[in-house]
């Protein structure tokens, strides 16, 4: 397949590499990165010319909108614009509407699985689009990932992503504050893990990504909290969940609190560049009500 790939950063570059390895004809464009395994175009519009599918993997919704403005008029009628970035639901829907008006198909397909999943080709894609568009891009998801869920119409992929990550942020905070409380109660961390991981408090953050060094699953906690999934990326996703909640008047008190805690941790404390599970040492150092 002839593919245009725009945004070749930490995630985009390994995703594009997997498409090239699978034999696809990929032309890339990025304002800063120049991976040597790809044919690079001089502009975004040039990268998409003649492509059946265009994949974007960009930092945010404003950049996606600007790139979409440039590439949509240059794309072949009937081609698919597949955005894999994590962006606000409103931008995803606006870009899809613009693409459809121009006679294109549009997919919002954010991913989970991080940089490791992108390199290994084991990402999970959550897609918002028509059945026809999903059928066209599904073979590419199979190369870049291990699972793709067709979540509904446009924006549904982004909605699934931010709801999932809102649960993830809240449950990481719950797991970390419980470990810090257990410490102060004199409860051994291993015993705490043995009980909770097999009781009703179990969760992905406790069982699969244990935030306490040397306990439970191997995780960034065992590597001095190097990401992994950086706190600032968790903050980005929690902020998107709160933007969405605001737009549709949804009550998300725990999501709001989690966003505020990660904002403080990243902007006012030492959270930037640390894995999002480093909330545990943060809570360890703190006292009640401060
Ligand atoms: P990144 O910053 O490493 O890559 C983004 C790339 O886009 C950069 O190379 C940048 O130069 C390029 N870019 C910026 N503006 C551009 C423009 N106008 N035209 C062309 N290229 C442009 O970010 P990343 O970690 O690869 O993340 C990409 C997206 O994936 C984000 O939306 C992020 O939230 C999401 N995501 C990231 C992870 C992760 O673990 N890193 C996990 C899941 C989802």
């Amino acid at each position: 397949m002839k593919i245009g790939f725009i945004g070749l950063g930490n995630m985009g570059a390994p995703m594009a590499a997997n498409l090239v390895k699978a034999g696809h004809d990929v032309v890339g464009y990025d304002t800063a990165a120049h991976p040597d395994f790809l044919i690079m175009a001089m502009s975004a519009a040039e990268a998409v010319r003649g492509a059946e599918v265009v994949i974007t993997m960009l930092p945010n919704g404003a950049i996606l909108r600007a790139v979409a403005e440039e590439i949509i008029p240059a794309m072949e009628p009937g081609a698919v614009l597949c955005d894999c970035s994590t962006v606000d639901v409103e931008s995803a829907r606006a870009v899809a509407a613009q693409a459809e008006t121009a006679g294109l198909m549009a997919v919002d397909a954010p991913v989970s699985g991080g940089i490791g999943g992108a390199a290994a080709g084991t990402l999970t894609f959550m897609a918002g689009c028509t059945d026809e568009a999903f059928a066209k891009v599904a073979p590419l998801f199979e190369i870049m990932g291990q699972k793709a869920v067709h979540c509904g119409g446009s924006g549904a992929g982004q909605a699934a992503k931010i709801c999932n990550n809102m649960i993830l942020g809240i449950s990481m905070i719950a797991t970390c504050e419980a470990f810090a409380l257990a410490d102060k109660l004199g409860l051994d961390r291993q015993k705490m893990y043995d009980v909770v991981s097999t009781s009703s408090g179990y969760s992905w953050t406790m069982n699969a990504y244990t935030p306490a060094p040397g306990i439970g699953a191997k995780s960034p906690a065992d590597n001095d909290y190097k990401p992994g999934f950086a706190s600032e990326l968790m903050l980005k996703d929690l902020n998107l969940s709160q933007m969405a909640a605001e737009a549709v008047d949804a009550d998300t008190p725990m999501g709001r609190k989690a966003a505020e805690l990660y904002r403080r941790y990243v902007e006012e404390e030492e959270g930037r560049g640390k894995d999002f599970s480093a909330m545990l040492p943060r809570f360890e150092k703190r006292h009640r009500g401060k």
Side-chain angles (χ1 to χ4, degrees):
M1 206 184 271
K2 198 164 173 344
I3 299 168
F5 206 119
I6 300 175
L8 296 151
N10 290 319
M11 295 292 290
M15 289 164 71
N18 284 329
L19 293 174
V20 171
K21 247 184 264 160
H24 289 293
D25 177 7
V26 184
V27 177
Y29 177 72
D30 192 296
T31 43
H34 300 281
D36 51 15
F37 61 85
L38 260 193
I39 299 165
M40 297 294 282
M42 298 301 288
S43 69
E46 189 190 316
V48 307
R49 220 156 265 138
E52 291 159 71
V53 174
V54 171
I55 299 176
T56 48
M57 195 52 172
L58 296 162
N60 60 46
I63 293 176
L64 170 67
R65 284 179 192 243
V67 168
E69 200 70 49
E70 180 184 346
I71 62 177
I72 286 173
M75 284 175 66
E76 295 288 311
V80 185
L81 174 54
C82 178
D83 176 49
C84 294
S85 333
T86 305
V87 303
D88 55 289
V89 177
E90 222 173 294
S91 292
R93 291 195 170 136
V95 166
Q98 199 181 345
E100 279 158 13
T101 305
L104 306 170
M105 289 188 274
V107 183
D108 56 287
V111 301
S112 79
I115 299 165
T122 57
L123 294 170
T124 295
F125 289 84
M126 28 214 130
C129 56
T130 60
D131 290 341
E132 193 190 351
F134 188 75
K136 182 94 189 187
V137 289
L140 303 180
F141 293 160
E142 252 167 59
I143 294 164
M144 298 183 287
Q146 62 183 0
K147 190 176 165 94
V149 179
H150 186 187
C151 298
S154 81
Q158 297 295 348
K161 167 84 187 177
I162 58 176
C163 287
N164 181 74
N165 280 21
M166 187 173 80
I167 296 171
L168 178 62
I170 293 168
S171 80
M172 179 55 84
I173 288 169
T175 299
C176 291
E177 70 180 29
F179 264 119
L181 171 61
D183 287 347
K184 292 201 172 169
L185 294 172
L187 173 61
D188 180 71
R189 284 185 170 181
Q190 183 64 50
K191 302 295 177 200
M192 158 89 174
Y193 173 82
D194 290 346
V195 171
V196 175
S197 65
T198 54
S199 300
S200 46
Y202 87 101
S203 63
W204 187 84
T205 55
M206 174 59 82
N207 293 39
Y209 205 95
T210 322
I215 308 284
K218 198 119 193 75
S219 74
D222 301 306
N223 190 25
D224 206 19
Y225 295 101
K226 288 199 185 74
F229 186 48
S231 294
E232 58 270 28
L233 290 178
M234 173 49 80
L235 174 61
K236 172 189 171 183
D237 292 359
L238 286 167
N239 283 339
L240 290 175
S241 78
Q242 293 312 290
M243 269 171 75
E246 195 67 44
V248 296
D249 194 25
D251 192 20
T252 56
M254 301 299 282
R256 186 202 296 254
K257 188 73 196 172
E260 173 53 18
L261 277 171
Y262 275 103
R263 188 200 63 73
R264 268 164 54 193
Y265 189 44
V266 168
E267 292 177 4
E268 295 167 16
E269 301 163 3
E270 75 268 273
R272 189 173 293 279
K274 293 224 173 77
D275 190 73
F276 81 120
S277 60
M279 272 287 162
L280 174 51
R282 176 189 184 275
F283 282 125
E284 260 178 80
K285 288 188 216 126
R286 298 176 65 84
H287 301 281
R288 185 153 187 79
K290 303 239 176 82

